[in-house]
Coordinates of all heavy atoms in Angstrom, one line a residue:
M22 N -56.7 12.2 -95.3 CA -57.4 11.3 -94.4 C -58.6 12.1 -93.9 O -58.6 13.2 -93.5 CB -56.5 11.0 -93.3 CG -57.0 10.0 -92.3 SD -55.7 9.5 -91.1 CE -56.4 8.1 -90.4
Y23 N -59.8 11.4 -93.8 CA -61.0 12.0 -93.3 C -61.2 11.7 -91.9 O -60.7 10.7 -91.4 CB -62.2 11.6 -94.2 CG -62.5 10.1 -94.1 CD1 -63.4 9.6 -93.2 CD2 -61.8 9.3 -95.0 CE1 -63.7 8.3 -93.2 CE2 -62.1 7.9 -94.9 CZ -63.0 7.4 -94.0 OH -63.3 6.1 -94.0
K24 N -62.0 12.5 -91.2 CA -62.3 12.2 -89.8 C -63.4 11.2 -89.6 O -64.5 11.3 -90.2 CB -62.8 13.5 -89.1 CG -63.0 13.4 -87.7 CD -63.3 14.8 -87.1 CE -63.5 14.7 -85.6 NZ -63.8 15.9 -85.0
C25 N -63.1 10.1 -88.9 CA -64.0 9.0 -88.7 C -64.5 9.2 -87.3 O -63.8 8.8 -86.3 CB -63.4 7.6 -88.8 SG -62.9 7.2 -90.5
Y26 N -65.7 9.7 -87.1 CA -66.2 10.0 -85.7 C -67.7 10.0 -85.7 O -68.3 10.5 -86.6 CB -65.7 11.3 -85.2 CG -66.2 11.5 -83.8 CD1 -65.7 10.9 -82.7 CD2 -67.3 12.4 -83.6 CE1 -66.2 11.1 -81.4 CE2 -67.8 12.6 -82.4 CZ -67.3 12.0 -81.3 OH -67.8 12.2 -80.0
R27 N -68.3 9.3 -84.8 CA -69.7 9.3 -84.5 C -69.9 9.6 -83.0 O -69.2 9.1 -82.2 CB -70.4 8.0 -84.8 CG -70.4 7.7 -86.3 CD -71.2 6.4 -86.5 NE -71.1 6.1 -87.9 CZ -71.7 5.1 -88.5 NH1 -72.5 4.3 -87.8 NH2 -71.6 4.8 -89.8
K28 N -70.8 10.5 -82.7 CA -71.1 10.8 -81.3 C -71.3 9.6 -80.5 O -72.0 8.7 -80.9 CB -72.3 11.7 -81.3 CG -72.6 12.3 -79.9 CD -73.8 13.2 -79.9 CE -74.1 13.8 -78.6 NZ -74.2 12.9 -77.4
D29 N -70.7 9.5 -79.3 CA -70.8 8.4 -78.4 C -70.1 7.1 -78.8 O -70.3 6.1 -78.2 CB -72.3 8.2 -78.0 CG -72.9 9.3 -77.3 OD1 -72.2 10.1 -76.6 OD2 -74.1 9.5 -77.4
Y30 N -69.4 7.1 -79.9 CA -68.7 5.9 -80.3 C -67.4 5.9 -79.6 O -66.7 6.9 -79.6 CB -68.5 5.9 -81.8 CG -68.0 4.6 -82.4 CD1 -69.0 3.6 -82.8 CD2 -66.7 4.2 -82.4 CE1 -68.6 2.4 -83.3 CE2 -66.3 3.0 -82.9 CZ -67.3 2.1 -83.3 OH -66.9 0.9 -83.8
Y31 N -67.2 4.8 -78.9 CA -66.0 4.7 -77.9 C -64.7 4.7 -78.6 O -63.7 5.2 -78.0 CB -66.1 3.4 -77.1 CG -67.4 3.5 -76.3 CD1 -68.4 2.6 -76.6 CD2 -67.5 4.3 -75.2 CE1 -69.6 2.7 -75.8 CE2 -68.6 4.4 -74.4 CZ -69.7 3.5 -74.7 OH -70.8 3.6 -74.0
R32 N -64.6 4.2 -79.8 CA -63.3 4.1 -80.4 C -63.4 4.6 -81.8 O -63.5 3.8 -82.8 CB -62.8 2.6 -80.4 CG -62.6 2.2 -79.0 CD -62.3 0.7 -78.9 NE -61.0 0.4 -79.4 CZ -60.5 -0.8 -79.6 NH1 -61.2 -1.8 -79.2 NH2 -59.3 -1.0 -80.1
P33 N -63.4 5.9 -82.0 CA -63.7 6.5 -83.3 C -62.7 6.1 -84.4 O -63.1 6.1 -85.6 CB -63.6 8.0 -83.1 CG -62.8 8.2 -81.8 CD -63.1 6.9 -81.0
Q34 N -61.5 5.6 -84.1 CA -60.6 5.1 -85.1 C -61.1 3.8 -85.7 O -60.6 3.3 -86.7 CB -59.2 5.0 -84.6 CG -59.0 3.9 -83.5 CD -59.3 4.3 -82.1 OE1 -60.1 5.1 -81.8 NE2 -58.6 3.7 -81.2
F35 N -62.1 3.1 -85.1 CA -62.7 1.9 -85.6 C -64.1 2.0 -86.0 O -64.9 1.1 -85.8 CB -62.5 0.8 -84.6 CG -61.1 0.4 -84.3 CD1 -60.5 0.6 -83.1 CD2 -60.3 -0.1 -85.3 CE1 -59.2 0.3 -82.8 CE2 -59.0 -0.4 -85.0 CZ -58.4 -0.2 -83.8
V36 N -64.5 3.2 -86.5 CA -65.9 3.4 -86.9 C -66.4 2.4 -87.9 O -65.6 2.1 -88.9 CB -66.1 4.8 -87.5 CG1 -67.5 5.0 -88.1 CG2 -65.9 5.9 -86.4
R37 N -67.5 1.8 -87.7 CA -68.1 0.9 -88.7 C -69.4 1.5 -89.2 O -70.1 2.3 -88.6 CB -68.4 -0.4 -87.9 CG -67.2 -1.1 -87.5 CD -67.6 -2.3 -86.6 NE -66.4 -3.0 -86.1 CZ -65.7 -2.7 -85.0 NH1 -66.1 -1.6 -84.3 NH2 -64.7 -3.4 -84.6
E38 N -69.8 1.0 -90.3 CA -71.1 1.5 -90.9 C -72.3 1.1 -90.1 O -73.2 1.9 -89.9 CB -71.3 0.9 -92.3 CG -70.4 1.5 -93.4 CD -70.6 3.0 -93.5 OE1 -71.7 3.5 -93.6 OE2 -69.5 3.7 -93.5
N39 N -72.3 -0.1 -89.5 CA -73.4 -0.6 -88.7 C -72.9 -0.6 -87.2 O -72.2 -1.5 -86.9 CB -73.9 -1.9 -89.1 CG -74.4 -1.9 -90.5 OD1 -75.2 -1.0 -90.9 ND2 -74.1 -2.9 -91.3
F40 N -73.4 0.3 -86.4 CA -73.0 0.4 -85.1 C -74.2 0.5 -84.2 O -75.1 1.3 -84.4 CB -72.1 1.7 -84.9 CG -71.9 2.1 -83.4 CD1 -71.1 1.3 -82.6 CD2 -72.5 3.2 -82.9 CE1 -70.9 1.7 -81.3 CE2 -72.3 3.5 -81.6 CZ -71.5 2.8 -80.8
A41 N -74.2 -0.5 -83.2 CA -75.3 -0.5 -82.3 C -74.8 -0.2 -80.9 O -73.9 -1.0 -80.4 CB -76.1 -1.8 -82.3
D42 N -75.2 0.8 -80.2 CA -74.8 1.1 -78.9 C -75.6 0.3 -77.9 O -76.8 0.4 -77.8 CB -75.0 2.6 -78.6 CG -74.4 3.0 -77.3 OD1 -73.9 2.2 -76.5 OD2 -74.5 4.3 -77.0
L43 N -74.9 -0.6 -77.2 CA -75.6 -1.5 -76.2 C -75.6 -1.0 -74.8 O -76.0 -1.7 -73.9 CB -75.0 -2.9 -76.3 CG -75.1 -3.6 -77.7 CD1 -74.3 -4.9 -77.6 CD2 -76.5 -3.7 -78.1
C44 N -75.1 0.2 -74.6 CA -75.0 0.8 -73.3 C -76.4 1.1 -72.7 O -77.3 1.4 -73.5 CB -74.1 2.0 -73.3 SG -72.4 1.7 -73.6
G45 N -76.5 1.0 -71.4 CA -77.8 1.3 -70.8 C -78.1 0.3 -69.7 O -77.3 -0.5 -69.3
E46 N -79.3 0.3 -69.3 CA -79.7 -0.6 -68.2 C -80.2 -2.0 -68.8 O -81.0 -2.0 -69.7 CB -80.9 0.0 -67.4 CG -81.2 -0.8 -66.2 CD -82.3 -0.1 -65.3 OE1 -83.5 -0.2 -65.6 OE2 -81.9 0.5 -64.3
W47 N -79.6 -3.1 -68.3 CA -79.9 -4.4 -68.7 C -80.4 -5.2 -67.5 O -80.1 -4.9 -66.4 CB -78.7 -5.1 -69.3 CG -78.3 -4.6 -70.7 CD1 -78.0 -3.4 -71.1 CD2 -78.2 -5.4 -71.9 NE1 -77.7 -3.3 -72.4 CE2 -77.8 -4.6 -72.9 CE3 -78.4 -6.8 -72.1 CZ2 -77.7 -5.1 -74.2 CZ3 -78.3 -7.2 -73.4 CH2 -77.9 -6.4 -74.4
N48 N -81.1 -6.3 -67.8 CA -81.4 -7.3 -66.8 C -80.2 -8.1 -66.5 O -79.4 -8.4 -67.4 CB -82.6 -8.1 -67.2 CG -83.8 -7.4 -67.4 OD1 -84.2 -6.4 -66.7 ND2 -84.5 -7.7 -68.5
F49 N -80.0 -8.5 -65.3 CA -78.7 -9.2 -64.9 C -79.0 -10.2 -63.8 O -79.8 -9.9 -62.9 CB -77.7 -8.1 -64.4 CG -76.4 -8.7 -64.0 CD1 -75.4 -8.9 -65.0 CD2 -76.1 -8.9 -62.7 CE1 -74.2 -9.4 -64.6 CE2 -74.9 -9.4 -62.3 CZ -73.9 -9.7 -63.3
I50 N -78.4 -11.3 -63.8 CA -78.5 -12.3 -62.7 C -77.2 -13.0 -62.5 O -76.5 -13.3 -63.5 CB -79.7 -13.2 -62.9 CG1 -80.0 -14.0 -61.7 CG2 -79.4 -14.2 -64.1 CD1 -81.3 -14.7 -61.7
F51 N -76.8 -13.3 -61.2 CA -75.7 -14.2 -60.9 C -76.2 -15.6 -61.0 O -77.3 -15.9 -60.6 CB -75.2 -13.9 -59.5 CG -74.6 -12.5 -59.3 CD1 -75.3 -11.6 -58.5 CD2 -73.4 -12.2 -59.9 CE1 -74.7 -10.3 -58.3 CE2 -72.9 -10.9 -59.7 CZ -73.5 -10.0 -58.9
D52 N -75.4 -16.5 -61.6 CA -75.8 -17.9 -61.7 C -74.8 -18.7 -61.1 O -74.1 -19.6 -61.7 CB -76.0 -18.2 -63.2 CG -76.6 -19.6 -63.4 OD1 -77.0 -20.3 -62.5 OD2 -76.5 -20.1 -64.6
D53 N -74.6 -18.6 -59.7 CA -73.6 -19.3 -59.0 C -73.9 -20.8 -59.0 O -72.9 -21.6 -58.9 CB -73.5 -18.8 -57.6 CG -73.1 -17.3 -57.5 OD1 -72.3 -17.0 -58.4 OD2 -73.5 -16.6 -56.6
G54 N -75.1 -21.2 -59.2 CA -75.4 -22.7 -59.3 C -75.3 -23.2 -60.7 O -75.6 -24.4 -60.9
N55 N -75.0 -22.4 -61.6 CA -74.8 -22.8 -63.1 C -76.1 -23.5 -63.5 O -76.1 -24.5 -64.1 CB -73.6 -23.6 -63.3 CG -73.2 -23.6 -64.7 OD1 -73.7 -22.8 -65.5 ND2 -72.2 -24.5 -65.0
E56 N -77.3 -22.8 -63.2 CA -78.6 -23.4 -63.6 C -79.1 -22.8 -64.9 O -80.1 -23.3 -65.4 CB -79.6 -23.1 -62.4 CG -79.1 -23.6 -61.1 CD -79.4 -25.1 -61.0 OE1 -80.4 -25.6 -61.5 OE2 -78.6 -25.8 -60.3
G57 N -78.5 -21.7 -65.4 CA -79.1 -21.0 -66.5 C -79.4 -21.7 -67.8 O -80.5 -21.6 -68.3
E58 N -78.5 -22.6 -68.2 CA -78.7 -23.3 -69.4 C -79.8 -24.4 -69.2 O -80.7 -24.5 -70.0 CB -77.4 -24.0 -69.9 CG -76.5 -23.0 -70.6 CD -75.4 -23.7 -71.3 OE1 -75.7 -24.6 -72.2 OE2 -74.2 -23.4 -71.0
K59 N -79.8 -25.1 -68.1 CA -80.8 -26.1 -67.8 C -82.2 -25.4 -67.7 O -83.2 -26.0 -68.2 CB -80.5 -26.8 -66.5 CG -81.5 -27.9 -66.1 CD -81.1 -28.6 -64.8 CE -81.5 -27.7 -63.7 NZ -81.4 -28.2 -62.3
N60 N -82.2 -24.2 -67.1 CA -83.5 -23.5 -66.9 C -83.8 -22.6 -68.1 O -84.8 -21.9 -68.0 CB -83.5 -22.8 -65.6 CG -83.5 -23.7 -64.4 OD1 -84.1 -24.7 -64.4 ND2 -82.8 -23.2 -63.4
K61 N -83.0 -22.6 -69.1 CA -83.2 -21.9 -70.3 C -83.4 -20.4 -70.1 O -84.3 -19.8 -70.6 CB -84.4 -22.5 -71.1 CG -84.2 -23.9 -71.5 CD -85.3 -24.4 -72.4 CE -85.0 -25.9 -72.7 NZ -86.1 -26.5 -73.4
Y62 N -82.5 -19.8 -69.4 CA -82.5 -18.4 -69.1 C -82.5 -17.6 -70.5 O -82.9 -16.5 -70.5 CB -81.3 -17.9 -68.3 CG -81.4 -18.3 -66.8 CD1 -82.4 -19.0 -66.3 CD2 -80.4 -17.9 -66.0 CE1 -82.5 -19.3 -64.9 CE2 -80.4 -18.2 -64.6 CZ -81.4 -18.9 -64.1 OH -81.5 -19.2 -62.8
Y63 N -81.9 -18.2 -71.5 CA -81.8 -17.5 -72.8 C -83.2 -17.4 -73.4 O -83.4 -16.6 -74.3 CB -80.9 -18.3 -73.7 CG -81.1 -19.8 -73.8 CD1 -82.0 -20.3 -74.8 CD2 -80.5 -20.7 -73.0 CE1 -82.2 -21.6 -74.9 CE2 -80.7 -22.0 -73.1 CZ -81.6 -22.5 -74.1 OH -81.9 -23.9 -74.1
K64 N -84.2 -18.2 -73.0 CA -85.6 -18.1 -73.4 C -86.5 -17.4 -72.4 O -87.3 -16.6 -72.8 CB -86.1 -19.4 -73.8 CG -85.6 -20.1 -75.0 CD -86.4 -21.3 -75.3 CE -85.9 -21.9 -76.6 NZ -86.7 -23.1 -77.0
N65 N -86.3 -17.8 -71.2 CA -87.1 -17.2 -70.1 C -86.3 -16.7 -69.0 O -85.9 -17.4 -68.0 CB -88.0 -18.4 -69.5 CG -89.0 -18.9 -70.6 OD1 -89.7 -18.2 -71.2 ND2 -88.9 -20.2 -70.8
F66 N -85.9 -15.4 -69.1 CA -85.0 -14.8 -68.1 C -85.8 -14.6 -66.8 O -86.9 -14.2 -66.9 CB -84.5 -13.5 -68.7 CG -83.2 -13.0 -68.0 CD1 -82.0 -13.5 -68.5 CD2 -83.2 -12.1 -67.0 CE1 -80.8 -13.1 -67.9 CE2 -82.1 -11.6 -66.4 CZ -80.9 -12.2 -66.9
P67 N -85.1 -14.9 -65.7 CA -85.8 -14.8 -64.4 C -86.3 -13.3 -64.2 O -85.6 -12.4 -64.5 CB -84.7 -15.1 -63.4 CG -83.8 -15.9 -64.1 CD -83.8 -15.4 -65.5
T68 N -87.5 -13.2 -63.7 CA -88.1 -11.9 -63.5 C -87.6 -11.2 -62.2 O -87.6 -10.0 -62.1 CB -89.6 -12.0 -63.4 OG1 -90.0 -12.9 -62.4 CG2 -90.2 -12.4 -64.8
D69 N -87.1 -12.0 -61.3 CA -86.5 -11.5 -60.0 C -85.0 -11.1 -60.2 O -84.2 -11.5 -59.4 CB -86.7 -12.4 -58.9 CG -86.1 -13.8 -59.1 OD1 -85.8 -14.1 -60.3 OD2 -85.9 -14.5 -58.1
C70 N -84.7 -10.4 -61.3 CA -83.3 -10.1 -61.6 C -82.9 -8.8 -61.1 O -83.7 -7.9 -60.7 CB -83.1 -10.3 -63.1 SG -84.1 -9.1 -64.1
L71 N -81.6 -8.5 -61.2 CA -81.0 -7.2 -60.9 C -81.0 -6.4 -62.1 O -81.3 -6.9 -63.2 CB -79.6 -7.4 -60.4 CG -79.4 -8.2 -59.1 CD1 -77.9 -8.5 -58.9 CD2 -79.9 -7.5 -57.9
K72 N -80.7 -5.1 -62.0 CA -80.5 -4.2 -63.1 C -79.0 -3.8 -63.1 O -78.5 -3.6 -62.1 CB -81.4 -3.0 -63.1 CG -82.8 -3.3 -63.0 CD -83.3 -3.9 -64.3 CE -84.8 -4.1 -64.2 NZ -85.3 -4.8 -65.4
I73 N -78.4 -3.8 -64.3 CA -77.0 -3.4 -64.4 C -76.9 -2.4 -65.5 O -77.6 -2.4 -66.5 CB -76.1 -4.6 -64.7 CG1 -74.6 -4.3 -64.6 CG2 -76.4 -5.3 -66.1 CD1 -73.6 -5.4 -64.6
K74 N -76.0 -1.4 -65.2 CA -75.7 -0.4 -66.2 C -74.5 -0.8 -67.0 O -73.4 -0.9 -66.6 CB -75.4 0.9 -65.5 CG -76.6 1.5 -64.8 CD -76.3 2.8 -64.0 CE -77.5 3.1 -63.2 NZ -77.1 3.9 -62.0
V75 N -74.8 -1.2 -68.3 CA -73.7 -1.5 -69.2 C -73.1 -0.2 -69.8 O -73.9 0.7 -70.1 CB -74.4 -2.4 -70.4 CG1 -73.4 -2.6 -71.5 CG2 -74.9 -3.7 -69.8
P76 N -71.8 -0.1 -69.9 CA -70.8 -1.1 -70.1 C -70.0 -1.5 -68.8 O -69.0 -2.1 -68.9 CB -69.9 -0.5 -71.1 CG -69.9 1.0 -70.7 CD -71.3 1.2 -70.2
F77 N -70.5 -1.1 -67.6 CA -69.7 -1.3 -66.4 C -69.8 -2.8 -65.9 O -70.8 -3.4 -66.0 CB -70.2 -0.3 -65.3 CG -70.1 1.1 -65.8 CD1 -71.3 1.8 -66.1 CD2 -68.9 1.7 -65.9 CE1 -71.2 3.1 -66.6 CE2 -68.8 3.0 -66.3 CZ -70.0 3.7 -66.7
A78 N -68.7 -3.2 -65.3 CA -68.6 -4.6 -64.8 C -69.4 -4.6 -63.4 O -69.5 -3.6 -62.7 CB -67.2 -5.0 -64.5
Y79 N -70.0 -5.7 -63.1 CA -70.9 -5.8 -61.9 C -70.1 -5.5 -60.6 O -70.7 -5.1 -59.7 CB -71.6 -7.1 -61.8 CG -70.6 -8.3 -61.5 CD1 -70.2 -8.6 -60.2 CD2 -70.2 -9.2 -62.5 CE1 -69.4 -9.6 -59.9 CE2 -69.4 -10.2 -62.2 CZ -69.0 -10.5 -60.9 OH -68.2 -11.5 -60.6
E80 N -68.8 -5.6 -60.6 CA -68.0 -5.3 -59.5 C -67.9 -3.8 -59.1 O -67.6 -3.4 -58.0 CB -66.6 -5.8 -59.6 CG -66.5 -7.3 -59.8 CD -66.4 -7.8 -61.2 OE1 -66.9 -7.0 -62.1 OE2 -66.0 -8.9 -61.5
T81 N -68.2 -3.0 -60.1 CA -68.0 -1.5 -59.9 C -69.3 -0.9 -59.4 O -70.4 -1.2 -59.8 CB -67.6 -0.9 -61.2 OG1 -68.6 -1.0 -62.2 CG2 -66.3 -1.5 -61.8
P82 N -69.1 0.2 -58.6 CA -70.3 0.9 -58.2 C -71.1 1.5 -59.4 O -72.3 1.7 -59.3 CB -69.7 2.0 -57.3 CG -68.4 1.5 -56.8 CD -67.9 0.6 -57.9
A83 N -70.4 1.9 -60.4 CA -71.0 2.5 -61.6 C -72.0 1.6 -62.3 O -72.9 2.0 -63.0 CB -70.0 3.0 -62.6
S84 N -71.9 0.3 -62.1 CA -72.8 -0.7 -62.7 C -74.2 -0.7 -62.0 O -75.1 -1.2 -62.5 CB -72.2 -2.1 -62.6 OG -72.3 -2.6 -61.2
G85 N -74.2 -0.1 -60.8 CA -75.4 -0.1 -60.0 C -75.5 -1.4 -59.1 O -76.5 -1.5 -58.4
I86 N -74.5 -2.3 -59.2 CA -74.5 -3.5 -58.4 C -73.4 -3.4 -57.4 O -73.7 -3.5 -56.2 CB -74.4 -4.8 -59.3 CG1 -75.6 -4.9 -60.2 CG2 -74.2 -6.0 -58.4 CD1 -75.6 -6.0 -61.2
G87 N -72.2 -3.3 -57.8 CA -71.1 -3.1 -56.9 C -70.7 -4.3 -56.0 O -70.3 -4.1 -54.9
D88 N -70.9 -5.5 -56.5 CA -70.6 -6.7 -55.8 C -69.2 -7.2 -56.2 O -69.0 -7.6 -57.4 CB -71.7 -7.8 -56.1 CG -71.5 -9.1 -55.4 OD1 -70.3 -9.3 -54.9 OD2 -72.4 -9.9 -55.3
E89 N -68.3 -7.1 -55.3 CA -66.9 -7.5 -55.6 C -66.6 -8.9 -55.4 O -65.5 -9.4 -55.6 CB -65.9 -6.6 -54.8 CG -66.0 -5.2 -55.2 CD -65.0 -4.3 -54.5 OE1 -64.0 -4.9 -53.9 OE2 -65.2 -3.1 -54.5
T90 N -67.6 -9.7 -55.1 CA -67.5 -11.2 -55.0 C -67.3 -11.8 -56.4 O -67.9 -11.4 -57.3 CB -68.8 -11.8 -54.4 OG1 -69.1 -11.1 -53.2 CG2 -68.6 -13.2 -54.0
C91 N -66.5 -12.9 -56.4 CA -66.2 -13.6 -57.7 C -67.5 -14.4 -58.0 O -67.9 -15.2 -57.2 CB -65.0 -14.4 -57.6 SG -64.7 -15.3 -59.2
H92 N -68.0 -14.2 -59.2 CA -69.1 -15.1 -59.7 C -68.7 -15.6 -61.1 O -68.4 -14.8 -62.0 CB -70.4 -14.2 -59.9 CG -70.9 -13.7 -58.6 ND1 -71.7 -14.4 -57.7 CD2 -70.7 -12.5 -58.0 CE1 -72.0 -13.6 -56.7 NE2 -71.3 -12.5 -56.8
N93 N -68.6 -16.9 -61.3 CA -68.1 -17.4 -62.5 C -69.1 -17.4 -63.6 O -68.7 -17.5 -64.8 CB -67.6 -18.9 -62.3 CG -66.3 -18.9 -61.4 OD1 -65.4 -18.1 -61.6 ND2 -66.2 -19.9 -60.5
V94 N -70.4 -17.4 -63.3 CA -71.4 -17.4 -64.4 C -72.4 -16.3 -64.1 O -72.9 -16.2 -63.0 CB -72.1 -18.8 -64.4 CG1 -73.1 -18.8 -65.5 CG2 -71.1 -19.9 -64.6
V95 N -72.6 -15.5 -65.0 CA -73.6 -14.4 -64.9 C -74.4 -14.4 -66.2 O -73.9 -14.8 -67.3 CB -73.0 -13.0 -64.7 CG1 -72.2 -13.0 -63.3 CG2 -72.0 -12.6 -65.8
W96 N -75.6 -13.8 -66.2 CA -76.4 -13.7 -67.4 C -76.9 -12.2 -67.5 O -77.2 -11.6 -66.6 CB -77.6 -14.6 -67.3 CG -77.3 -16.0 -67.4 CD1 -76.8 -16.8 -66.4 CD2 -77.5 -16.9 -68.5 NE1 -76.7 -18.1 -66.8 CE2 -77.2 -18.2 -68.2 CE3 -78.0 -16.6 -69.8 CZ2 -77.2 -19.2 -69.0 CZ3 -78.1 -17.7 -70.7 CH2 -77.7 -19.0 -70.3
Y97 N -76.9 -11.8 -68.8 CA -77.5 -10.5 -69.1 C -78.7 -10.7 -70.1 O -78.7 -11.7 -70.9 CB -76.4 -9.7 -70.0 CG -75.2 -9.2 -69.2 CD1 -74.2 -10.1 -68.9 CD2 -75.1 -7.9 -68.8 CE1 -73.0 -9.6 -68.3 CE2 -74.0 -7.4 -68.2 CZ -73.0 -8.3 -67.9 OH -71.8 -7.8 -67.2
S98 N -79.6 -9.8 -70.0 CA -80.7 -9.9 -70.9 C -81.1 -8.5 -71.3 O -81.1 -7.6 -70.4 CB -81.9 -10.6 -70.2 OG -83.1 -10.5 -71.0
P99 N -81.4 -8.2 -72.5 CA -81.8 -6.9 -72.9 C -83.0 -6.4 -72.1 O -83.8 -7.2 -71.7 CB -82.1 -7.0 -74.4 CG -81.6 -8.3 -74.8 CD -81.5 -9.2 -73.6
P100 N -83.1 -5.1 -72.0 CA -84.2 -4.5 -71.2 C -85.6 -4.8 -71.7 O -86.5 -4.8 -71.0 CB -83.9 -3.0 -71.2 CG -82.9 -2.8 -72.3 CD -82.2 -4.1 -72.5
Y101 N -85.7 -5.0 -73.0 CA -87.0 -5.3 -73.7 C -87.3 -6.8 -73.6 O -88.4 -7.2 -74.1 CB -86.9 -4.8 -75.1 CG -85.8 -5.4 -75.9 CD1 -85.9 -6.6 -76.5 CD2 -84.6 -4.7 -76.1 CE1 -84.8 -7.2 -77.2 CE2 -83.6 -5.2 -76.8 CZ -83.7 -6.5 -77.4 OH -82.7 -7.0 -78.1
H102 N -86.5 -7.6 -73.1 CA -86.7 -9.1 -73.1 C -87.8 -9.5 -72.2 O -88.1 -9.0 -71.1 CB -85.4 -9.8 -72.7 CG -85.4 -11.2 -72.9 ND1 -85.7 -12.1 -71.9 CD2 -85.3 -12.0 -74.1 CE1 -85.6 -13.4 -72.4 NE2 -85.4 -13.3 -73.7

């Protein structure tokens, strides 16, 4: 058996040929009014957004947000968007 490991890969037992690390700072917004689809956030992400550190959940301090309130709808956008 050979060693399947790539630096920074979270689960080396599941190494894939094509691996994209999505960790880092992303644009983030709470959508408590569920307006995102109607306002096409997937095309025009709001500029007055928060920043979140992926892979952490927004509830955790490590995310940079640390909001423990329940939000049923949230949106993420890549940093280059």
Side-chain angles (χ1 to χ4, degrees):
M22 186 175 192
Y23 63 94
K24 185 176 181 180
C25 292
Y26 177 77
R27 292 186 185 184
K28 185 178 181 310
D29 297 327
Y30 194 89
Y31 298 106
R32 297 171 69 185
Q34 69 273 32
F35 295 114
V36 170
R37 295 172 180 84
E38 287 301 313
N39 297 317
F40 166 70
D42 185 356
L43 300 177
C44 294
E46 188 174 81
W47 284 61
N48 299 318
F49 180 85
I50 193 164
F51 296 112
D52 186 10
D53 295 328
N55 202 9
E56 303 281 327
E58 284 193 54
K59 181 179 81 176
N60 293 326
K61 299 182 181 177
Y62 287 1
Y63 52 89
K64 286 187 176 183
N65 299 306
F66 202 80
T68 56
D69 60 339
C70 61
L71 300 168
K72 301 293 182 186
I73 188 168
K74 293 176 190 156
V75 171
F77 304 104
Y79 70 81
E80 297 94 341
T81 66
S84 72
I86 296 175
D88 182 342
E89 294 184 17
T90 309
C91 180
H92 299 274
N93 290 322
V94 182
V95 299
W96 289 79
Y97 290 78
S98 175
Y101 54 82
H102 192 261

